[in-house]
Amino acid sequence: MKKQPKPKKKSIRQNPEWTAAMIAKARPAREVLPQIFGARTAANMLKPRGRPKSPESKVAISLRLPPDTLARWKATGPGWQTRMAEVLRESV
């Protein structure tokens, strides 16, 4: 079996270090992309990724519970964390 050739490294010419003049000339993607790709495609490219922010965001915590208590909650089926949160909210 032949060895794979090593990939060529980009030369400094292909990827020069940015100068102060280049940084001063740079523009945000929101300004440049619509000119290059059009407004519709640019809007798609700039759309936030990932899960949308919830108006009622939750906080991750670590909670130590007795094994039997946790087993009883889990035995109630899918959504047990949400039901536990509701019970806690009502009790406060």
Side-chain angles (χ1 to χ4, degrees):
M1 186 180 278
K2 291 184 178 181
K3 288 185 176 182
Q4 294 286 331
K6 291 184 179 180
K8 293 181 182 179
K9 292 184 179 181
K10 288 187 177 182
S11 72
I12 294 174
R13 283 183 162 174
Q14 291 175 330
N15 191 13
E17 190 171 327
W18 278 48
T19 63
M22 292 169 133
I23 294 170
K25 189 177 175 184
R27 295 288 165 254
R30 289 209 179 281
E31 290 178 17
V32 179
L33 288 179
Q35 297 168 1
I36 299 171
F37 298 104
R40 189 177 201 167
T41 304
N44 262 351
M45 292 170 80
L46 295 169
K47 185 172 51 173
R49 290 175 176 81
R51 189 175 182 157
K53 299 289 181 192
S54 171
E56 250 185 62
S57 62
K58 298 190 169 109
V59 178
I61 64 163
S62 177
L63 178 65
R64 296 175 65 84
L65 297 171
D68 61 326
T69 303
L70 184 59
R72 287 175 57 189
W73 276 105
K74 285 184 174 184
T76 63
W80 65 268
Q81 296 98 328
T82 305
R83 288 190 295 277
M84 180 186 280
E86 289 171 1
V87 169
L88 288 169
R89 181 179 293 148
E90 290 170 4
S91 68
V92 176

